[in-house]
Structures are given as C-alpha cells and as structure tokens.
Amino acid sequence: MFLEIDVDAKGHHHSTTQIRDNIHLSSSTEAFGGVSGDGGDGAGRDGDGMCNEGNEDGDMAPELKLQTRIVEHIGFAQALEAQQPKLWTKAMGKLYFFLMVASICSLMNAYNTTLVGTVGSIDYYNKFFYDDETKSSLVMSVYAIGNIAGSFVCGPFADWWGRRWGMFSGAVVLFIGSMLQGSAQNMAIFIGGRFLLGFGIALCQTSGTCYVAEMAHPAWRGPITGLYNSLWNLGAIPACFSPYITKHLHNNLQWRLPLYFQAVGAGTLIVASLFIPETPRWLFANGKREMAVRVLEKYHGEGNRKSPIVMLTYRELVQEIFIEGSDKRWWDYTDLFNSKAAWWRNSCVMGLAFISQMNGAGMITFYLPRLTKSAGITGQIELLNTSLVLGFSLIAAITGALLVDRIGRRRSLLIGSSLLVVWWTLMTVLMSQFAGEGGASKSGARATVAFLSIFSITYSFSFTPLQVLYPVECLSFETRAKGMGVSNLIGNLGSFFNTYAVTPIMKDIGWRFYGAYLGLNVLYTVFMYYFFIETRGRTLEEINEIFKAPYPKNKSLERHKMVISDFATASQWGLELENLNEEFGSPSNTPYPSAAPTPRMKFPTEISDIDALEKR
C-alpha cells in the first residue's frame, strides 16, 4: 500500500491521496486502522508502527509495518519501490559498457583541449613551425572556432541520424583531424586538423551526452551522467604528462606522438559505437517502437516487459513524444524559444553554460601558469602542482557525481557558487595587498595559487558533474540535442573570451579583475536561487511537468510523503489488475494513470494497452 501526502518546502502536510498496491485488497482501508494524513491517529496506527485492526466482518487484517519516505515524484518513486532494481547484474554490466563507450567523448574532449598547450611548450614543435605568437594564438583559437561551427550542426544531426551515429560520425572527423595534425608538414595543414578536431568533438559531445542521459537506468541516471563529465579531468591528466612521456625522443616524434594519441580514442569510438544499441527515446520518436521496448525491457527491466519502470517509461514516451509530438524539423530551433516553459528551460540550460565559463574557472585555466611562475613554482614542482590539482579535482568531480542524487542538483550548484564567492573574496583581498607594479609578490602569489587550487576543487565538485547532467535533464526530448548544441555554443564563446580577453584585461586593471569575478559570482548565486529548478527523483519525462507550472522553481521543490507497507511485494506488481479496476473504477486512482484519462478506462497492463491510448 502506498500513501501519498503533499509536503511543502517547510514540511507541512496539505493533502492526502491514497494509492493502493497493484493487487486486489479484499479488506477496505479501514481494515488497516484508518490511515491518516500524518500517519498518526488512526485506530491501530502509531505513526510508523504496526496496523492489525480487524475489518468490519471481524476478520483480522495482516499485520503491517509502515515506512515513510519523502520523494520528489510519487509515480517514479513507486515504480522504483516496486521493482527495486539492482546495481550489479549481467544486463546492467552490458549497459555500463555502452555508457563507457559514450564516455570516450568526454575523455577525448579533455585530452584535445588540454594537449595543444602542452605541445606548444616542446622545443621541437616550436622549431618546426617557427614559433610565432600570432600563429600560436590561431592554433589555440581554431579548435574553439571548429567547435562553434559544429554546434550549429550537432543537434540536428543527432536528432536526424540518432545518438549512436552522431558519436560515430564525430569520431570519424576526430580521427581524420588527429592524423592531419600528427603528420602536418606546414602550419596550414596543422590548423586544418585542429579545426576538424573542434568540429568533431561538437558532434561527439552532443550525441554522447544525450546517449548517456537517455540510456542510463532511471534509478542511477544522476550519478552516471554526472560521471560522464567528471571524466574530463581524467582525460586532461595524460595530455599534461605527454611531453614528459616523449621527452626522450630527440626528434619531431616528441610532439607528433601525443597528437597521434588523439586518434586512439577516436578509433576506439568508431569501432565500439557499431556494437551499442540506440537509445529507446530516439527509437520511439522515429517509429521503431518495438525496438525501443526491447531496449527498455533488456536493460531497464531485467528482461521483464511488464516491469514497473518499463511500463512507466513507455507510458510517458507515449504521452510526451507520440501525443504531444516529436520535432522532425531538423532546421527549426524555434521550440527552444516559443513559450514561457521554453524560456525557463533556457534560463537553466544556457544560464549554467554561461555561468560555468564566466565564473572564473576558465580564467584560472589560462592564468594559473603565469601565477605559478610569479610564485616561483617552475619545472618539476610546477608539474607536481598541476598533477595534484588535476588529481584532487578528479576525485572531487567523481565524489560530486556520486552524491548528486543525495544533495540535489540545485542545492549542489548553490553551495558551490556560494563557496566560489568566498574564495574570490579571499583572493581579491590577497592580491590587493600583495600585488605591486611589477606583478604579484612571491608570498601573495603562493597564497593565491593555494586558493585557486581550492577554487578548482570546489568547481569540480559542484559544477563539473552538472555541466552535462543538468541541461540534458532540463531539456525535453524534442529539443534535447539542439539545446545541448546551443549550450555547447555558449560554452565555447565563453572559452573564447577566457582565451583572448582575460590576458589584456588583467594587464590593464590587474588584481581588480578578481573583484569583478567576485561581483559576478554573487549575481550568479542570486540568479540560480530564483530560477534554477530541482530535477532529481524524476524521469526525464516527469521533469517536463515542472516547466508547465506557473513558477517552475517552486513546483520542483514540492515533496510528497509516501507511506509504504510490507503487505505487497515487488513481485506482485501488476497482478490481479482486473480486480483492482473493478474496485477503484477509474485508473486515476491507480499507480499508472492513463496518458489520456477516460472514465472506466481499462488500466494498461501491457504495452499494447498503452498503445491503444493513442486512439482515444
């Protein structure tokens, strides 16, 4: 037996809706002691205690032990309680492999982004291309330019050809770009290869993020999708060390070999993507409904087509994609801006993309080497410092991803942004006290380096896991790929600013630029507090309900108290539904209300029953 009680943000109870287990209960509600809204004063009921009051015929009802749980969405929570999915099974092992294949996209993005800076420090590279500051700047920027160009194509491509083929195509472009870079005999070919790398990674990133979020088991979507972007630090570490790995080669292979390594990840993705299934949401939206059900059945239902999570997901796909329609106009981006709900999504998706780049994290990436030199940290000590920061950031990002369901998306971002305000305050004070006309003093620089390292670890914990997870959850299926493309575009524009605008600004106003970031982070925190929603504890389709509310933030913070009895077991889910329908009549009182409620409509116990709802 499930009891749903609406709970507001302060924990007050407002209304009570009883939802019976999917089995026929011969005794009435009163037989269990008269369940009350607060789980309290009914006969035979003592809060979370036992119920053994007899029914009106004198028969003793089964003794019940009740558990109370606060949940974000009653339907999803009930499906999880009924199915109780296991983290480690043979089917889940295969699913993890598929998700690891998609995560190669994140690793390649980190490696490619970080590598150009480290290769630029190799003497053989500079001698071969006649080191020129203008050309070096072009090499740095052309990757972002290619990524920006790819942002306009990646969304429609992933929608039209699918997430799997989007990753495949992006990997092919990355492979070609890697080979061009590694074998380049002049700067023009090298820059051309760099552009292809940026273009290909846009295809891979957009398709990869959509694949992970849509393919991951709903019970662990948050941590798994958070881990996808947390692997960025893992990909950056070998890029930082590659010049030291090849330094014994006293020829051009010292810089060519690290560039060829880029092709290893691309080649692996090309081959592996041929052996992974397409996401059920894309299959369903493109008319391949039986294939979609088979994927859900195998990897979300442990081979059981009637499992609660499979039934819940399929019913929501019918409602969200078939009834409301899916976007088939690959060239049309108006769905991202044509309603209040769409604009609120943008405030979350594009807001996070902008904040993630413009809260100072991007500036630190480019300015930290300069500051470490001011602090006297050079050579092997600089390498050790960089390695430690990357290592701790990786641990922080993985920890943040694993805790994202417990802490919550919105709360994690607010805590992280608030801490960044504290770190920027301390760094601004330090630099104002120790910075002189010749730059930062050694003691001031060292203290600032320490806080910049803490900043990076804080950012990795709060922002890195959510840079992909949060926007992909906020976007509906029909706008997910295009929205992630736009998010990628905004992120790259921010990166472009950090690459070229920060240095001259720092030269002009010095440490005062820290104060500007301090003020911006205060504004970002306020903005997130009023506009960012909470998405945990819901399926991707259930999140859409939030944006239909007058004030989505408040809607997302609503909680429900679910009281669970041990009378029914998960194995009984779906049994004797005919009797349940006879007792309750309308399916609006059942755990799975129909997509289009009709009086006395038969409760959907099969996929075919759900399909029949389309005709009503």
Side-chain angles (χ1 to χ4, degrees):
M1 181 176 63
F2 294 92
L3 180 72
E4 177 189 356
I5 305 173
D6 291 337
V7 182
D8 63 16
K10 297 181 179 180
H12 299 144
H13 302 164
H14 291 298
S15 62
T16 303
T17 304
Q18 186 176 342
I19 303 177
R20 304 288 292 274
D21 282 317
N22 287 12
I23 58 171
H24 176 59
L25 304 179
S26 58
S27 53
S28 63
T29 304
E30 288 76 9
F32 304 111
V35 178
S36 65
D38 293 324
D41 298 328
R45 167 66 52 83
D46 182 19
D48 292 332
M50 313 295 289
C51 299
N52 55 6
E53 184 82 11
N55 61 19
E56 58 187 23
D57 295 327
D59 298 329
M60 292 298 294
E63 189 176 79
L64 299 180
K65 185 176 181 180
L66 303 180
Q67 299 175 356
T68 302
R69 186 179 304 164
I70 303 296
V71 299
E72 281 74 18
H73 194 281
I74 194 69
F76 180 53
Q78 188 178 353
L80 289 179
E81 179 65 28
Q83 183 168 326
Q84 296 184 350
K86 296 179 181 179
L87 187 62
W88 299 107
T89 64
K90 184 177 180 180
M92 288 299 295
K94 292 181 180 179
L95 182 58
Y96 294 146
F97 170 76
F98 303 151
L99 299 175
M100 286 176 60
V101 170
S103 297
I104 294 175
C105 300
S106 181
L107 293 170
M108 289 192 299
N109 184 32
Y111 186 84
N112 297 345
T113 302
T114 310
L115 183 64
V116 67
T118 55
V119 167
S121 64
I122 299 176
D123 290 336
Y124 282 99
Y125 167 85
N126 292 320
K127 290 177 182 177
F128 188 87
F129 287 119
Y130 307 102
D131 186 26
D132 180 278
E133 187 173 344
T134 303
K135 290 181 179 178
S136 297
S137 298
L138 182 58
V139 169
M140 290 289 290
S141 65
V142 75
Y143 182 81
I145 294 172
N147 211 319
I148 291 171
S151 298
F152 294 100
V153 179
C154 58
F157 194 93
D159 280 340
W160 189 258
W161 293 102
R163 290 30 172 156
R164 184 169 67 114
W165 288 109
M167 291 188 290
F168 176 87
S169 303
V172 170
V173 176
L174 284 170
F175 188 86
I176 295 171
S178 301
M179 300 307 293
L180 284 176
Q181 266 200 312
S183 60
Q185 298 300 314
N186 56 61
M187 183 58 74
I189 295 177
F190 189 87
I191 290 175
R194 189 75 182 155
F195 177 87
L196 288 178
L197 286 173
F199 192 93
I201 205 64
L203 291 173
C204 282
Q205 273 288 84
T206 299
S207 299
T209 54
C210 292
Y211 186 91
V212 171
E214 294 176 3
M215 195 70 188
H217 195 288
W220 300 288
R221 185 188 68 242
I224 288 174
T225 311
L227 285 171
Y228 171 91
N229 204 53
S230 300
L231 295 177
W232 198 98
N233 292 292
L234 185 62
I237 291 174
C240 290
F241 277 93
S242 58
Y244 297 92
I245 296 173
T246 60
K247 67 179 182 179
H248 65 282
L249 302 172
H250 301 292
N251 51 46
N252 287 326
L253 280 177
Q254 194 176 110
W255 62 270
R256 290 188 186 275
L257 212 54
L259 296 173
Y260 280 130
F261 287 160
Q262 296 173 114
V264 175
T268 303
L269 184 58
I270 289 172
V271 175
S273 61
L274 298 175
F275 297 95
I276 63 177
E278 184 54 82
T279 70
R281 286 169 176 81
W282 187 88
L283 291 170
F284 188 92
N286 286 271
K288 302 177 181 180
R289 310 172 85 181
E290 179 56 31
M291 292 178 65
V293 174
R294 288 176 184 173
V295 173
L296 289 171
E297 173 189 346
K298 188 171 183 178
Y299 301 110
H300 291 183
E302 290 293 333
N304 181 11
R305 181 173 289 226
K306 296 182 182 181
S307 72
I309 290 178
V310 172
M311 295 288 288
L312 174 65
T313 303
Y314 193 85
R315 180 183 61 80
E316 291 177 341
L317 289 177
V318 170
Q319 183 176 6
E320 294 295 330
I321 297 178
F322 186 90
I323 295 178
E324 297 186 7
S326 59
D327 184 13
K328 298 296 184 182
R329 299 168 297 180
W330 60 267
W331 45 266
D332 188 1
Y333 279 74
T334 57
D335 281 345
L336 291 172
F337 310 97
N338 62 1
S339 66
K340 176 186 174 182
W343 278 105
W344 204 288
R345 291 181 198 273
N346 288 334
S347 70
C348 297
V349 175
M350 300 179 191
L352 181 60
F354 181 84
I355 292 171
S356 297
Q357 287 295 330
M358 302 304 293
N359 60 6
M363 185 274 282
I364 289 175
T365 302
F366 295 100
Y367 190 63
L368 185 58
R370 175 181 169 184
L371 203 58
T372 54
K373 290 181 180 178
S374 299
I377 302 172
T378 57
Q380 295 296 323
I381 299 177
E382 180 183 7
L383 174 63
L384 178 61
N385 178 75
T386 302
S387 303
L388 287 173
V389 172
L390 283 174
F392 281 117
S393 295
L394 174 62
I395 294 172
I398 292 175
T399 304
L402 295 177
L403 295 177
V404 73
D405 274 349
R406 178 168 296 184
I407 299 174
R409 282 68 155 154
R410 182 175 178 271
R411 183 181 298 175
S412 180
L413 289 171
L414 286 173
I415 292 173
S417 188
S418 300
L419 286 174
L420 296 189
V421 170
V422 175
W423 306 144
W424 276 121
T425 301
L426 294 172
M427 288 188 288
T428 302
V429 172
L430 283 170
M431 292 303 290
S432 67
Q433 294 296 316
F434 294 102
E437 292 183 0
S441 67
K442 185 172 291 188
S443 57
R446 285 178 175 174
T448 307
V449 167
F451 278 110
L452 286 175
S453 301
I454 296 173
F455 180 102
S456 297
I457 294 170
T458 303
Y459 180 92
S460 296
F461 180 87
S462 295
F463 283 86
T464 299
L466 293 171
Q467 281 180 288
V468 166
L469 170 62
Y470 191 69
V472 85
E473 286 184 329
C474 289
L475 292 162
S476 60
F477 174 82
E478 62 270 15
T479 60
R480 184 165 294 133
K482 293 176 183 176
M484 290 304 296
V486 174
S487 175
N488 186 64
L489 171 64
I490 293 173
N492 277 284
L493 291 175
S495 178
F496 207 80
F497 172 86
N498 291 323
T499 305
Y500 294 101
V502 168
T503 301
I505 293 175
M506 288 293 292
K507 288 180 179 179
D508 289 339
I509 65 175
W511 63 268
R512 295 172 184 82
F513 198 34
Y514 284 51
Y517 275 117
L518 168 59
L520 285 173
N521 275 275
V522 172
L523 293 177
Y524 297 153
T525 305
V526 173
F527 178 82
M528 288 191 290
Y529 179 82
Y530 284 104
F531 290 98
F532 276 26
I533 68 164
E534 181 55 67
T535 60
R536 71 171 174 179
R538 295 172 172 88
T539 65
L540 292 173
E541 284 69 35
E542 287 168 350
I543 294 171
N544 293 335
E545 299 174 11
I546 295 174
F547 292 102
K548 297 174 183 178
Y551 191 17
K553 188 208 82 171
N554 285 352
K555 175 68 174 177
S556 72
L557 297 178
E558 290 180 358
R559 297 293 182 269
H560 308 278
K561 179 177 287 186
M562 186 172 73
V563 180
I564 309 167
S565 75
D566 59 359
F567 184 78
T569 63
S571 62
Q572 291 171 309
W573 183 278
L575 298 179
E576 300 190 44
L577 291 173
E578 291 294 335
N579 294 334
L580 183 67
N581 287 328
E582 289 298 324
E583 180 175 350
F584 286 98
S586 172
S588 61
N589 291 325
T590 61
Y592 283 149
S594 64
T598 303
R600 303 290 297 178
M601 184 184 295
K602 186 177 180 180
F603 184 83
T605 62
E606 300 278 358
I607 296 297
S608 58
D609 293 336
I610 299 178
D611 290 337
L613 298 178
E614 303 161 7
K615 301 177 181 179
R616 293 180 182 269

